[in-house]
Amino acid sequence: MAFCRAAKRSLGFVISNRLVNNASRHEFSSCATNRTFVVEGVQYGSSVPFSHSVFSALNLKLSLLRRFSVETPAGSDQMSLIRQLRERTSAPIKDVKAALIDCSWDIEAAQTELRKRGKVLALKKSSRTAAEGLLALAQNETKAVVVELNCETDFVARNEIFQYLALSLARQALLSGSSDNVSGTFPVGLEQLEGMKLNLDHPKISGETTALNAITEVAGIMGENIKLRRGFSMSASSTGVISTYLHTSPRPGLGRIAGILSLEVEGGNSKSDALQRVGSELAMHIVAAKPLFLTKELVASDALESEREIIKSQAETSGKPQMAIEKMVEGRLRKYMEEVVLMEQKFIVNDSINIKTLLDNLSKEVGSPVKIGNFLRVEVGEGIQRLETSDASEPVAQAA
């Protein structure tokens, strides 16, 4: 220990002498000050003239001297601090070690420093494309909320911190929504989502913060652009029930594709087991069949006319008579309706019936008319690549 102190003092003595010698070689006489340096309670030097021009070099070298003068933990203690900070923050080991060195091996100060660096890193990466991620779903008996949290790679989407954040956002969005019992499907504003107050309880991210700050902090930890892209809520009436399904789900409440619908029972029992069972199967059907409209009456006239023109131009190339062409067009339009209209689609669980027949059978079983109030299908990253190559607006999830 005595040798270490002597080494530090001799180093301070050498640096102080070199600084003053360098200063004395300059032909300036702008001021005079004490050639005095204090290192670990030991004072060196005396009074000599030197120039203001060497102040910057003096300060730089004294900062290096202070770093040499701080007692450095033993190798095993260093590894223990690195491991503890790594467990707290999940930051890369090289960043953890650099922060500890810069903060003189003070683990609390190093953790604060890493959070500051993470915010800067998140800002730098915010312009990069984030098309991966997860959907997080939270629901109660009459309402469901789904939010999409994007990242750059599937590797980050599988990370436990990212998944915890996504679930926290969905749960808080469910609690923060309007208490008005209005049935329907509604988008949740991005500003509303980012401004939500979160009370996080996770080893890596904890405490009360806003959603936007939490996303920025996780982006710094992950080293990727993380973006809260959009959210939707669906409410059922007092006599309805909400059913959901998540596809490619790494854990409950998370997935890459979400199917949500509300079933409305006219004066019947919404707690029926048959209603719950069929509702879950229909939510799965929506994910698989990708319907665009609930009924034929809701098909946009522009979309229908465009499809008719396409089919007609294809049929005319066959060289058949005009009457035959008209029959071909009508037949293909019926096929188109079966593909995009939910009530006309074949049921994926039993393709011998369509959804309309399924609901008729369910109504008989429940004892009251049952109908689909709304449906929603959301998929991670849909439309992002198209947005990069065009000026199209944000795509809206398939809903009715």
Side-chain angles (χ1 to χ4, degrees):
M1 188 66 182
F3 174 78
C4 292
R5 286 179 180 170
K8 291 173 186 175
R9 290 177 182 178
S10 62
L11 177 60
F13 184 75
V14 169
I15 292 177
S16 66
N17 277 333
R18 291 191 58 133
L19 287 174
V20 175
N21 290 337
N22 288 339
S24 64
R25 283 198 294 270
H26 291 277
E27 295 179 358
F28 299 105
S29 59
S30 56
C31 71
T33 186
N34 279 336
R35 186 185 62 174
T36 301
F37 303 90
V38 179
V39 180
E40 291 291 310
V42 180
Q43 182 171 306
Y44 306 91
S46 60
S47 179
V48 296
F50 76 104
S51 166
H52 281 298
S53 63
V54 298
F55 267 122
S56 58
L58 176 62
N59 290 331
L60 175 61
K61 294 185 179 181
L62 281 178
S63 67
L64 293 173
L65 178 59
R66 284 193 296 271
R67 290 182 64 179
F68 278 117
S69 300
V70 174
E71 288 191 10
T72 303
S76 59
D77 294 336
Q78 291 181 16
M79 293 305 298
S80 176
L81 289 171
I82 291 172
R83 183 178 66 255
Q84 290 177 47
L85 188 55
R86 166 76 171 162
E87 290 173 352
R88 287 189 190 184
T89 64
S90 292
I93 290 179
K94 65 175 184 177
D95 294 341
V96 168
K97 185 176 181 181
L100 283 167
I101 292 173
D102 290 343
C103 297
S104 303
W105 297 93
D106 183 334
I107 191 169
E108 298 299 333
Q111 184 173 355
T112 301
E113 178 64 20
L114 280 175
R115 293 181 69 180
K116 291 179 181 177
R117 295 180 184 181
K119 291 181 178 180
V120 174
L121 180 63
L123 182 62
K124 289 180 179 179
K125 295 180 180 291
S126 61
S127 62
R128 288 163 38 169
T129 301
E132 292 294 331
L134 287 170
L135 300 172
L137 178 70
Q139 68 179 107
N140 53 33
E141 291 182 355
T142 59
K143 184 178 179 180
V145 172
V146 60
V147 298
E148 180 178 354
L149 187 63
N150 294 128
C151 55
E152 296 178 44
T153 64
D154 183 61
F155 176 78
V156 168
R158 295 195 301 269
N159 185 278
E160 194 266 340
I161 303 174
F162 181 89
Q163 294 180 2
Y164 173 82
L165 176 61
L167 283 171
S168 299
L169 291 169
R171 290 166 181 163
Q172 188 58 42
L174 180 65
L175 296 174
S176 303
S178 173
S179 59
D180 298 335
N181 190 19
V182 179
S183 61
T185 302
F186 309 96
V188 182
L190 193 57
E191 290 186 4
Q192 178 184 342
L193 289 171
E194 292 179 338
M196 292 187 305
K197 297 292 185 181
L198 301 179
N199 192 4
L200 303 174
D201 183 17
H202 187 276
K204 307 295 175 64
I205 48 172
S206 60
E208 187 172 329
T209 183
T210 65
L212 183 58
N213 287 340
I215 292 167
T216 302
E217 184 173 347
V218 173
I221 294 173
M222 299 291 102
E224 287 193 6
N225 181 24
I226 294 179
K227 177 183 177 183
L228 179 56
R229 187 184 179 201
R230 54 183 176 168
F232 297 94
S233 69
M234 180 182 292
S235 299
S237 67
S238 57
T239 60
V241 61
I242 294 288
S243 298
T244 62
Y245 171 74
L246 284 167
H247 188 63
T248 317
S249 178
R251 58 190 288 188
L254 297 173
R256 287 189 58 83
I257 311 174
I260 310 172
L261 81 154
S262 63
L263 289 177
E264 306 291 342
V265 185
E266 295 182 10
N269 180 17
S270 61
K271 305 297 182 182
S272 167
D273 291 340
L275 200 66
Q276 301 289 340
R277 171 179 52 81
V278 174
S280 297
E281 292 175 345
L282 280 171
M284 187 186 304
H285 172 95
I286 288 167
V287 168
K290 303 180 182 180
L292 299 177
F293 308 98
L294 178 58
T295 64
K296 289 190 293 185
E297 291 74 23
L298 294 176
V299 178
S301 58
D302 292 344
L304 187 60
E305 191 59 33
S306 175
E307 190 66 22
R308 181 186 295 274
E309 290 299 322
I310 292 172
I311 294 173
K312 186 175 181 180
S313 63
Q314 292 174 345
E316 287 175 347
T317 60
S318 64
K320 294 183 178 180
Q322 188 64 30
M323 186 177 295
I325 289 176
E326 291 296 330
K327 290 182 178 179
M328 291 173 62
V329 169
E330 293 304 317
R332 291 183 184 179
L333 276 178
R334 283 195 300 271
K335 182 67 174 177
Y336 171 75
M337 291 293 187
E338 291 176 1
E339 291 174 353
V340 301
V341 176
L342 178 57
M343 296 299 289
E344 306 297 323
Q345 288 179 334
K346 298 292 184 182
F347 186 35
I348 61 168
V349 177
N350 178 10
D351 60 6
S352 64
I353 60 174
N354 61 15
I355 301 301
K356 185 186 296 183
T357 303
L358 174 69
L359 290 178
D360 289 341
N361 295 339
L362 178 61
S363 299
K364 294 175 183 178
E365 187 174 352
V366 173
S368 299
V370 179
K371 65 177 183 179
I372 297 175
N374 298 277
F375 78 88
L376 175 69
R377 184 186 187 277
V378 190
E379 185 169 352
V380 169
E382 58 187 349
I384 289 181
Q385 297 300 324
R386 179 169 60 85
L387 283 172
E388 290 178 346
T389 57
S390 71
D391 294 330
S393 58
E394 182 83 357
V396 178
Q398 298 163 15

